[in-house]
Amino acid sequence: MAIRFSTGLKDAILGTDGMKGALDTGAIYIYTGAQPASADTGSTGTLLGTVTVSAGTLPGAEISFDAPSAGVLAKAAAEAWQFNGVADGTAGWFRYVGDPASDDGTTTSTSLARLDGSIARTGGDMNLSNTAITTGAPNTVDVFQISIALN
């Protein structure tokens, strides 16, 4: 279990975009298996679903964050982050992409803003109430927060 930042996300954080700017209007791709060793590499596993606002179609249903508070960047409270299963399988990891119009998460890139993490029912970087994804079944991401501990 490890959150992995792409080189593009690290550059954005250190530049003028910041993490919120780099990841707002993004999407999360849910995959089977173990996450890749780097968020710069192409995706692995089977795509199980794409998290968007109310499971809507991209473009137009990109997810976003509320303003940071107390060192935490949290999903926009007014948005329902949802996806419908596009394949059957067990969710193992996710890739958050900051620009789904130009990044479907499948290719290798050192310039795109991405964040990878593990999925579990408990103890994952992202927890889902049900990791057994079924084609056509709706799923919800109720909580998604990013915090950076510097001390």
Side-chain angles (χ1 to χ4, degrees):
M1 172 173 82
I3 292 286
R4 296 191 175 108
F5 292 14
S6 68
T7 302
L9 181 56
K10 293 174 193 175
D11 290 346
I13 291 168
L14 295 172
T16 57
D17 290 343
M19 184 174 287
K20 182 177 181 343
L23 296 179
D24 255 351
T25 65
I28 301 173
Y29 299 105
I30 307 289
Y31 294 96
T32 61
Q35 72 189 89
S38 169
D40 290 335
T41 63
S43 60
T44 59
T46 301
L47 177 66
L48 297 175
T50 303
V51 179
T52 59
V53 174
S54 301
T57 304
L58 295 170
E62 293 82 357
I63 55 180
S64 61
F65 292 94
D66 285 332
S69 176
V72 176
L73 186 63
K75 75 176 263 319
E79 294 178 354
W81 287 19
Q82 300 173 325
F83 70 98
N84 292 316
V86 295
D88 295 346
T90 302
W93 72 282
F94 70 90
R95 172 161 288 165
Y96 191 117
V97 300
D99 183 10
S102 62
D103 183 13
D104 66 1
T106 62
T107 61
T108 297
S109 172
T110 57
S111 62
L112 295 168
R114 297 173 172 170
L115 176 74
D116 289 358
S118 65
I119 295 176
R121 291 192 64 204
T122 60
D125 298 315
M126 179 168 54
N127 296 324
L128 296 176
S129 60
N130 182 11
T131 58
I133 308 304
T134 304
T135 303
N139 299 272
T140 301
V141 176
D142 293 319
V143 177
F144 191 91
Q145 299 177 336
I146 303 168
S147 61
I148 299 175
L150 298 177
N151 49 355

Short mmCIF file of all heavy atoms in Angstrom, two decimals, residues 39-104:
data_model
loop_
_atom_site.label_atom_id
_atom_site.label_comp_id
_atom_site.label_asym_id
_atom_site.label_seq_id
_atom_site.Cartn_x
_atom_site.Cartn_y
_atom_site.Cartn_z
N ALA A 39 3.64 5.83 -10.98
CA ALA A 39 2.47 6.47 -11.61
C ALA A 39 2.82 7.03 -12.99
O ALA A 39 1.94 7.50 -13.70
CB ALA A 39 1.93 7.57 -10.71
N ASP A 40 4.10 6.97 -13.36
CA ASP A 40 4.52 7.41 -14.69
C ASP A 40 4.30 6.32 -15.74
O ASP A 40 4.29 6.61 -16.94
CB ASP A 40 6.01 7.78 -14.70
CG ASP A 40 6.32 9.05 -13.93
OD1 ASP A 40 5.42 9.90 -13.78
OD2 ASP A 40 7.47 9.21 -13.48
N THR A 41 4.13 5.06 -15.32
CA THR A 41 3.97 3.96 -16.27
C THR A 41 2.51 3.80 -16.67
O THR A 41 1.61 4.34 -16.04
CB THR A 41 4.47 2.63 -15.67
OG1 THR A 41 3.66 2.30 -14.54
CG2 THR A 41 5.93 2.73 -15.26
N GLY A 42 2.30 3.02 -17.71
CA GLY A 42 0.94 2.73 -18.14
C GLY A 42 0.23 1.87 -17.12
O GLY A 42 0.85 1.23 -16.27
N SER A 43 -1.08 1.85 -17.20
CA SER A 43 -1.89 1.08 -16.25
C SER A 43 -1.71 -0.41 -16.46
O SER A 43 -1.34 -0.87 -17.53
CB SER A 43 -3.36 1.47 -16.39
OG SER A 43 -3.81 1.19 -17.69
N THR A 44 -2.01 -1.16 -15.39
CA THR A 44 -1.99 -2.62 -15.44
C THR A 44 -3.33 -3.13 -14.90
O THR A 44 -4.02 -2.41 -14.20
CB THR A 44 -0.85 -3.19 -14.58
OG1 THR A 44 -1.02 -2.75 -13.23
CG2 THR A 44 0.52 -2.73 -15.09
N GLY A 45 -3.65 -4.35 -15.22
CA GLY A 45 -4.91 -4.93 -14.75
C GLY A 45 -6.06 -4.60 -15.68
O GLY A 45 -5.89 -3.99 -16.74
N THR A 46 -7.24 -5.00 -15.27
CA THR A 46 -8.46 -4.77 -16.03
C THR A 46 -9.18 -3.54 -15.49
O THR A 46 -9.36 -3.41 -14.28
CB THR A 46 -9.40 -5.99 -15.92
OG1 THR A 46 -8.71 -7.15 -16.42
CG2 THR A 46 -10.70 -5.78 -16.67
N LEU A 47 -9.59 -2.65 -16.38
CA LEU A 47 -10.36 -1.48 -15.97
C LEU A 47 -11.75 -1.95 -15.53
O LEU A 47 -12.46 -2.61 -16.27
CB LEU A 47 -10.50 -0.49 -17.13
CG LEU A 47 -11.35 0.76 -16.84
CD1 LEU A 47 -10.69 1.63 -15.78
CD2 LEU A 47 -11.59 1.54 -18.13
N LEU A 48 -12.11 -1.58 -14.27
CA LEU A 48 -13.40 -1.96 -13.72
C LEU A 48 -14.42 -0.83 -13.74
O LEU A 48 -15.62 -1.07 -13.70
CB LEU A 48 -13.23 -2.45 -12.28
CG LEU A 48 -12.38 -3.70 -12.09
CD1 LEU A 48 -12.19 -3.99 -10.61
CD2 LEU A 48 -13.00 -4.88 -12.81
N GLY A 49 -13.94 0.42 -13.80
CA GLY A 49 -14.85 1.55 -13.82
C GLY A 49 -14.11 2.87 -13.75
O GLY A 49 -12.92 2.91 -13.43
N THR A 50 -14.82 3.95 -14.08
CA THR A 50 -14.26 5.30 -14.04
C THR A 50 -15.12 6.16 -13.14
O THR A 50 -16.32 6.34 -13.39
CB THR A 50 -14.23 5.91 -15.46
OG1 THR A 50 -13.48 5.06 -16.33
CG2 THR A 50 -13.61 7.30 -15.44
N VAL A 51 -14.50 6.69 -12.07
CA VAL A 51 -15.21 7.52 -11.11
C VAL A 51 -15.37 8.93 -11.68
O VAL A 51 -14.38 9.58 -12.02
CB VAL A 51 -14.47 7.58 -9.76
CG1 VAL A 51 -15.21 8.47 -8.77
CG2 VAL A 51 -14.28 6.17 -9.19
N THR A 52 -16.62 9.38 -11.77
CA THR A 52 -16.96 10.72 -12.23
C THR A 52 -18.10 11.25 -11.35
O THR A 52 -18.59 10.53 -10.48
CB THR A 52 -17.42 10.71 -13.70
OG1 THR A 52 -18.55 9.84 -13.82
CG2 THR A 52 -16.30 10.24 -14.64
N VAL A 53 -18.53 12.46 -11.59
CA VAL A 53 -19.66 13.01 -10.85
C VAL A 53 -20.93 12.28 -11.30
O VAL A 53 -21.24 12.23 -12.49
CB VAL A 53 -19.81 14.53 -11.08
CG1 VAL A 53 -21.08 15.04 -10.42
CG2 VAL A 53 -18.60 15.27 -10.54
N SER A 54 -21.59 11.65 -10.34
CA SER A 54 -22.83 10.90 -10.57
C SER A 54 -22.71 9.85 -11.67
O SER A 54 -23.66 9.56 -12.39
CB SER A 54 -23.98 11.87 -10.89
OG SER A 54 -24.18 12.77 -9.82
N ALA A 55 -21.49 9.26 -11.81
CA ALA A 55 -21.21 8.23 -12.83
C ALA A 55 -21.50 8.75 -14.23
O ALA A 55 -21.88 7.98 -15.12
CB ALA A 55 -21.99 6.95 -12.54
N GLY A 56 -21.32 10.05 -14.42
CA GLY A 56 -21.58 10.67 -15.72
C GLY A 56 -20.48 10.38 -16.73
O GLY A 56 -19.42 9.83 -16.41
N THR A 57 -20.74 10.77 -17.95
CA THR A 57 -19.82 10.54 -19.06
C THR A 57 -18.81 11.68 -19.17
O THR A 57 -19.15 12.84 -18.99
CB THR A 57 -20.64 10.45 -20.38
OG1 THR A 57 -21.63 9.42 -20.22
CG2 THR A 57 -19.76 10.12 -21.55
N LEU A 58 -17.57 11.32 -19.49
CA LEU A 58 -16.53 12.31 -19.77
C LEU A 58 -16.57 12.65 -21.24
O LEU A 58 -16.84 11.80 -22.06
CB LEU A 58 -15.15 11.74 -19.41
CG LEU A 58 -14.92 11.44 -17.94
CD1 LEU A 58 -13.63 10.66 -17.75
CD2 LEU A 58 -14.89 12.73 -17.12
N PRO A 59 -16.29 13.88 -21.63
CA PRO A 59 -16.09 15.03 -20.75
C PRO A 59 -17.42 15.55 -20.21
O PRO A 59 -18.49 15.25 -20.75
CB PRO A 59 -15.44 16.06 -21.66
CG PRO A 59 -15.95 15.75 -23.02
CD PRO A 59 -16.15 14.25 -23.05
N GLY A 60 -17.32 16.33 -19.14
CA GLY A 60 -18.49 16.97 -18.57
C GLY A 60 -18.85 16.52 -17.17
O GLY A 60 -19.62 17.18 -16.49
N ALA A 61 -18.29 15.40 -16.71
CA ALA A 61 -18.62 14.91 -15.37
C ALA A 61 -17.36 14.74 -14.51
O ALA A 61 -17.28 13.86 -13.67
CB ALA A 61 -19.38 13.59 -15.47
N GLU A 62 -16.37 15.59 -14.75
CA GLU A 62 -15.10 15.50 -14.03
C GLU A 62 -15.29 15.78 -12.54
O GLU A 62 -16.14 16.59 -12.17
CB GLU A 62 -14.07 16.48 -14.61
CG GLU A 62 -13.62 16.15 -16.02
CD GLU A 62 -14.56 16.64 -17.12
OE1 GLU A 62 -15.64 17.21 -16.81
OE2 GLU A 62 -14.23 16.43 -18.30
N ILE A 63 -14.51 15.12 -11.70
CA ILE A 63 -14.58 15.30 -10.25
C ILE A 63 -13.64 16.41 -9.81
O ILE A 63 -12.68 16.74 -10.50
CB ILE A 63 -14.28 13.98 -9.52
CG1 ILE A 63 -12.93 13.39 -9.93
CG2 ILE A 63 -15.40 12.98 -9.76
CD1 ILE A 63 -12.56 12.10 -9.24
N SER A 64 -13.93 16.98 -8.64
CA SER A 64 -13.10 18.08 -8.15
C SER A 64 -13.02 18.05 -6.62
O SER A 64 -13.64 17.21 -5.97
CB SER A 64 -13.64 19.43 -8.63
OG SER A 64 -14.95 19.63 -8.16
N PHE A 65 -12.26 18.98 -6.08
CA PHE A 65 -12.01 19.07 -4.65
C PHE A 65 -12.54 20.37 -4.08
O PHE A 65 -12.60 21.38 -4.77
CB PHE A 65 -10.50 19.01 -4.37
CG PHE A 65 -9.87 17.68 -4.69
CD1 PHE A 65 -9.28 17.45 -5.91
CD2 PHE A 65 -9.87 16.67 -3.75
CE1 PHE A 65 -8.71 16.22 -6.20
CE2 PHE A 65 -9.31 15.43 -4.02
CZ PHE A 65 -8.72 15.21 -5.26
N ASP A 66 -12.88 20.35 -2.79
CA ASP A 66 -13.14 21.57 -2.06
C ASP A 66 -11.81 22.25 -1.76
O ASP A 66 -10.74 21.64 -1.95
CB ASP A 66 -13.88 21.27 -0.74
CG ASP A 66 -15.35 20.91 -0.97
OD1 ASP A 66 -15.94 21.38 -1.96
OD2 ASP A 66 -15.89 20.16 -0.13
N ALA A 67 -11.85 23.48 -1.28
CA ALA A 67 -10.62 24.19 -0.91
C ALA A 67 -9.93 23.43 0.21
O ALA A 67 -10.60 22.85 1.08
CB ALA A 67 -10.96 25.60 -0.45
N PRO A 68 -8.59 23.40 0.22
CA PRO A 68 -7.88 22.71 1.29
C PRO A 68 -8.22 23.32 2.65
O PRO A 68 -8.45 24.53 2.76
CB PRO A 68 -6.41 22.95 0.97
CG PRO A 68 -6.37 23.41 -0.45
CD PRO A 68 -7.70 24.01 -0.75
N SER A 69 -8.25 22.47 3.67
CA SER A 69 -8.54 22.92 5.03
C SER A 69 -7.74 22.06 6.01
O SER A 69 -7.78 20.83 5.92
CB SER A 69 -10.03 22.82 5.33
OG SER A 69 -10.30 23.17 6.66
N ALA A 70 -7.02 22.71 6.90
CA ALA A 70 -6.23 22.02 7.93
C ALA A 70 -5.29 20.98 7.33
O ALA A 70 -5.10 19.90 7.89
CB ALA A 70 -7.15 21.38 8.96
N GLY A 71 -4.72 21.30 6.18
CA GLY A 71 -3.75 20.41 5.55
C GLY A 71 -4.35 19.23 4.82
O GLY A 71 -3.65 18.29 4.47
N VAL A 72 -5.66 19.27 4.56
CA VAL A 72 -6.34 18.16 3.88
C VAL A 72 -7.06 18.68 2.65
O VAL A 72 -7.77 19.68 2.70
CB VAL A 72 -7.35 17.47 4.83
CG1 VAL A 72 -8.12 16.39 4.09
CG2 VAL A 72 -6.63 16.89 6.04
N LEU A 73 -6.88 17.98 1.54
CA LEU A 73 -7.61 18.24 0.30
C LEU A 73 -8.64 17.13 0.17
O LEU A 73 -8.28 15.95 0.07
CB LEU A 73 -6.64 18.22 -0.88
CG LEU A 73 -7.16 18.61 -2.24
CD1 LEU A 73 -7.65 20.06 -2.25
CD2 LEU A 73 -6.07 18.42 -3.29
N ALA A 74 -9.93 17.47 0.23
CA ALA A 74 -11.00 16.47 0.23
C ALA A 74 -11.90 16.63 -0.99
O ALA A 74 -12.05 17.72 -1.54
CB ALA A 74 -11.84 16.60 1.51
N LYS A 75 -12.53 15.52 -1.39
CA LYS A 75 -13.46 15.54 -2.51
C LYS A 75 -14.52 16.61 -2.28
O LYS A 75 -14.86 16.92 -1.14
CB LYS A 75 -14.12 14.17 -2.71
CG LYS A 75 -15.18 13.80 -1.69
CD LYS A 75 -15.85 12.48 -1.98
CE LYS A 75 -17.12 12.50 -2.69
NZ LYS A 75 -18.16 13.44 -2.43
N ALA A 76 -15.00 17.19 -3.36
CA ALA A 76 -16.03 18.22 -3.25
C ALA A 76 -17.27 17.62 -2.59
O ALA A 76 -17.84 16.63 -3.08
CB ALA A 76 -16.37 18.77 -4.63
N ALA A 77 -17.67 18.19 -1.47
CA ALA A 77 -18.80 17.67 -0.70
C ALA A 77 -20.10 17.67 -1.51
O ALA A 77 -20.97 16.82 -1.31
CB ALA A 77 -18.98 18.47 0.59
N ALA A 78 -20.22 18.61 -2.45
CA ALA A 78 -21.45 18.72 -3.23
C ALA A 78 -21.52 17.71 -4.38
O ALA A 78 -22.54 17.60 -5.04
CB ALA A 78 -21.57 20.14 -3.80
N GLU A 79 -20.44 16.95 -4.60
CA GLU A 79 -20.40 16.00 -5.72
C GLU A 79 -20.59 14.57 -5.24
O GLU A 79 -20.05 14.16 -4.21
CB GLU A 79 -19.06 16.09 -6.45
CG GLU A 79 -18.82 17.41 -7.15
CD GLU A 79 -17.48 17.49 -7.83
OE1 GLU A 79 -16.64 16.56 -7.69
OE2 GLU A 79 -17.25 18.50 -8.49
N ALA A 80 -21.33 13.80 -6.01
CA ALA A 80 -21.45 12.36 -5.78
C ALA A 80 -20.43 11.68 -6.69
O ALA A 80 -20.60 11.68 -7.91
CB ALA A 80 -22.86 11.88 -6.10
N TRP A 81 -19.35 11.15 -6.09
CA TRP A 81 -18.32 10.46 -6.87
C TRP A 81 -18.77 9.01 -7.03
O TRP A 81 -18.82 8.25 -6.07
CB TRP A 81 -16.99 10.53 -6.16
CG TRP A 81 -16.30 11.86 -6.19
CD1 TRP A 81 -16.86 13.07 -6.45
CD2 TRP A 81 -14.92 12.11 -5.93
NE1 TRP A 81 -15.91 14.06 -6.37
CE2 TRP A 81 -14.70 13.49 -6.05
CE3 TRP A 81 -13.84 11.30 -5.60
CZ2 TRP A 81 -13.46 14.08 -5.87
CZ3 TRP A 81 -12.60 11.87 -5.41
CH2 TRP A 81 -12.41 13.25 -5.56
N GLN A 82 -19.10 8.63 -8.27
CA GLN A 82 -19.67 7.30 -8.52
C GLN A 82 -19.12 6.70 -9.80
O GLN A 82 -18.60 7.41 -10.67
CB GLN A 82 -21.19 7.40 -8.63
CG GLN A 82 -21.84 7.95 -7.37
CD GLN A 82 -23.32 8.21 -7.54
OE1 GLN A 82 -23.78 8.61 -8.61
NE2 GLN A 82 -24.09 7.98 -6.49
N PHE A 83 -19.26 5.37 -9.90
CA PHE A 83 -18.95 4.69 -11.15
C PHE A 83 -19.82 3.46 -11.28
O PHE A 83 -20.31 2.91 -10.30
CB PHE A 83 -17.46 4.31 -11.24
CG PHE A 83 -17.00 3.22 -10.29
CD1 PHE A 83 -16.88 1.91 -10.72
CD2 PHE A 83 -16.66 3.53 -8.98
CE1 PHE A 83 -16.45 0.91 -9.85
CE2 PHE A 83 -16.22 2.54 -8.11
CZ PHE A 83 -16.11 1.23 -8.54
N ASN A 84 -20.04 3.06 -12.52
CA ASN A 84 -20.73 1.82 -12.82
C ASN A 84 -19.69 0.82 -13.32
O ASN A 84 -18.82 1.19 -14.13
CB ASN A 84 -21.81 2.03 -13.89
CG ASN A 84 -22.95 2.86 -13.38
OD1 ASN A 84 -23.42 2.66 -12.27
ND2 ASN A 84 -23.39 3.82 -14.17
N GLY A 85 -19.76 -0.41 -12.84
CA GLY A 85 -18.80 -1.42 -13.26
C GLY A 85 -18.86 -1.64 -14.76
O GLY A 85 -19.94 -1.74 -15.34
N VAL A 86 -17.69 -1.70 -15.40
CA VAL A 86 -17.62 -1.98 -16.84
C VAL A 86 -17.07 -3.39 -17.09
O VAL A 86 -16.99 -3.84 -18.23
CB VAL A 86 -16.79 -0.93 -17.61
CG1 VAL A 86 -17.47 0.43 -17.54
CG2 VAL A 86 -15.36 -0.86 -17.10
N ALA A 87 -16.64 -4.06 -16.00
CA ALA A 87 -16.17 -5.44 -16.06
C ALA A 87 -16.32 -6.03 -14.67
O ALA A 87 -16.46 -5.31 -13.69
CB ALA A 87 -14.71 -5.49 -16.51
N ASP A 88 -16.31 -7.35 -14.60
CA ASP A 88 -16.35 -8.04 -13.31
C ASP A 88 -14.92 -8.25 -12.81
O ASP A 88 -14.03 -8.61 -13.59
CB ASP A 88 -17.01 -9.42 -13.45
CG ASP A 88 -18.47 -9.34 -13.83
OD1 ASP A 88 -19.06 -8.24 -13.74
OD2 ASP A 88 -19.03 -10.37 -14.23
N GLY A 89 -14.70 -8.02 -11.51
CA GLY A 89 -13.39 -8.26 -10.94
C GLY A 89 -13.27 -7.64 -9.56
O GLY A 89 -14.19 -6.96 -9.08
N THR A 90 -12.13 -7.85 -8.93
CA THR A 90 -11.85 -7.31 -7.61
C THR A 90 -10.98 -6.08 -7.75
O THR A 90 -9.88 -6.13 -8.33
CB THR A 90 -11.14 -8.35 -6.73
OG1 THR A 90 -11.97 -9.51 -6.63
CG2 THR A 90 -10.86 -7.80 -5.35
N ALA A 91 -11.46 -4.96 -7.22
CA ALA A 91 -10.71 -3.70 -7.28
C ALA A 91 -9.43 -3.83 -6.46
O ALA A 91 -9.48 -4.24 -5.30
CB ALA A 91 -11.57 -2.55 -6.76
N GLY A 92 -8.30 -3.50 -7.07
CA GLY A 92 -7.02 -3.61 -6.39
C GLY A 92 -6.28 -2.30 -6.26
O GLY A 92 -5.53 -2.08 -5.31
N TRP A 93 -6.48 -1.41 -7.25
CA TRP A 93 -5.78 -0.12 -7.21
C TRP A 93 -6.52 0.90 -8.06
O TRP A 93 -7.40 0.56 -8.84
CB TRP A 93 -4.33 -0.27 -7.66
CG TRP A 93 -4.12 -0.53 -9.13
CD1 TRP A 93 -4.29 -1.71 -9.79
CD2 TRP A 93 -3.70 0.42 -10.11
NE1 TRP A 93 -4.01 -1.54 -11.13
CE2 TRP A 93 -3.64 -0.25 -11.35
CE3 TRP A 93 -3.38 1.78 -10.06
CZ2 TRP A 93 -3.26 0.39 -12.52
CZ3 TRP A 93 -3.00 2.41 -11.24
CH2 TRP A 93 -2.94 1.72 -12.46
N PHE A 94 -6.16 2.19 -7.85
CA PHE A 94 -6.78 3.27 -8.60
C PHE A 94 -5.72 4.20 -9.18
O PHE A 94 -4.60 4.27 -8.68
CB PHE A 94 -7.74 4.08 -7.72
CG PHE A 94 -7.05 4.93 -6.67
CD1 PHE A 94 -6.67 6.24 -6.93
CD2 PHE A 94 -6.79 4.41 -5.42
CE1 PHE A 94 -6.04 7.00 -5.96
CE2 PHE A 94 -6.17 5.16 -4.44
CZ PHE A 94 -5.79 6.46 -4.71
N ARG A 95 -6.11 4.89 -10.23
CA ARG A 95 -5.27 5.96 -10.80
C ARG A 95 -6.15 7.19 -10.95
O ARG A 95 -7.13 7.19 -11.68
CB ARG A 95 -4.70 5.56 -12.15
CG ARG A 95 -3.99 6.74 -12.86
CD ARG A 95 -3.05 6.31 -13.95
NE ARG A 95 -1.87 5.71 -13.33
CZ ARG A 95 -0.98 4.97 -13.99
NH1 ARG A 95 -1.15 4.72 -15.28
NH2 ARG A 95 0.06 4.47 -13.36
N TYR A 96 -5.81 8.25 -10.21
CA TYR A 96 -6.47 9.54 -10.33
C TYR A 96 -5.70 10.32 -11.38
O TYR A 96 -4.50 10.52 -11.24
CB TYR A 96 -6.44 10.27 -8.98
CG TYR A 96 -7.32 11.50 -8.93
CD1 TYR A 96 -8.38 11.57 -8.05
CD2 TYR A 96 -7.10 12.59 -9.77
CE1 TYR A 96 -9.20 12.68 -8.00
CE2 TYR A 96 -7.93 13.69 -9.74
CZ TYR A 96 -8.97 13.73 -8.85
OH TYR A 96 -9.78 14.83 -8.82
N VAL A 97 -6.38 10.75 -12.44
CA VAL A 97 -5.75 11.58 -13.47
C VAL A 97 -6.34 12.98 -13.40
O VAL A 97 -7.53 13.15 -13.19
CB VAL A 97 -5.91 10.97 -14.89
CG1 VAL A 97 -5.26 9.59 -14.97
CG2 VAL A 97 -7.34 10.91 -15.33
N GLY A 98 -5.48 13.96 -13.56
CA GLY A 98 -5.91 15.34 -13.45
C GLY A 98 -6.56 15.88 -14.71
O GLY A 98 -7.27 16.88 -14.67
N ASP A 99 -6.33 15.24 -15.85
CA ASP A 99 -6.87 15.73 -17.11
C ASP A 99 -7.35 14.55 -17.96
O ASP A 99 -6.65 14.11 -18.87
CB ASP A 99 -5.81 16.52 -17.87
CG ASP A 99 -6.32 17.12 -19.17
OD1 ASP A 99 -7.54 17.08 -19.42
OD2 ASP A 99 -5.49 17.62 -19.94
N PRO A 100 -8.55 14.03 -17.67
CA PRO A 100 -9.02 12.86 -18.41
C PRO A 100 -9.23 13.10 -19.90
O PRO A 100 -9.28 12.15 -20.68
CB PRO A 100 -10.32 12.47 -17.71
CG PRO A 100 -10.75 13.68 -16.96
CD PRO A 100 -9.51 14.45 -16.65
N ALA A 101 -9.32 14.36 -20.32
CA ALA A 101 -9.47 14.64 -21.75
C ALA A 101 -8.20 14.26 -22.51
O ALA A 101 -8.28 13.89 -23.68
CB ALA A 101 -9.79 16.11 -21.97
N SER A 102 -7.04 14.33 -21.85
CA SER A 102 -5.79 13.99 -22.53
C SER A 102 -5.07 12.80 -21.90
O SER A 102 -4.01 12.40 -22.38
CB SER A 102 -4.85 15.20 -22.56
OG SER A 102 -4.51 15.59 -21.25
N ASP A 103 -5.63 12.23 -20.82
CA ASP A 103 -4.96 11.13 -20.13
C ASP A 103 -5.98 10.09 -19.68
O ASP A 103 -6.76 10.32 -18.78
CB ASP A 103 -4.20 11.67 -18.91
CG ASP A 103 -3.41 10.59 -18.17
OD1 ASP A 103 -3.23 9.49 -18.71
OD2 ASP A 103 -2.99 10.88 -17.03
N ASP A 104 -5.95 8.93 -20.35
CA ASP A 104 -6.83 7.84 -19.91
C ASP A 104 -6.10 6.90 -18.96
O ASP A 104 -6.62 5.85 -18.60
CB ASP A 104 -7.40 7.09 -21.11
CG ASP A 104 -6.35 6.34 -21.91
OD1 ASP A 104 -5.15 6.37 -21.54
OD2 ASP A 104 -6.72 5.72 -22.92
#
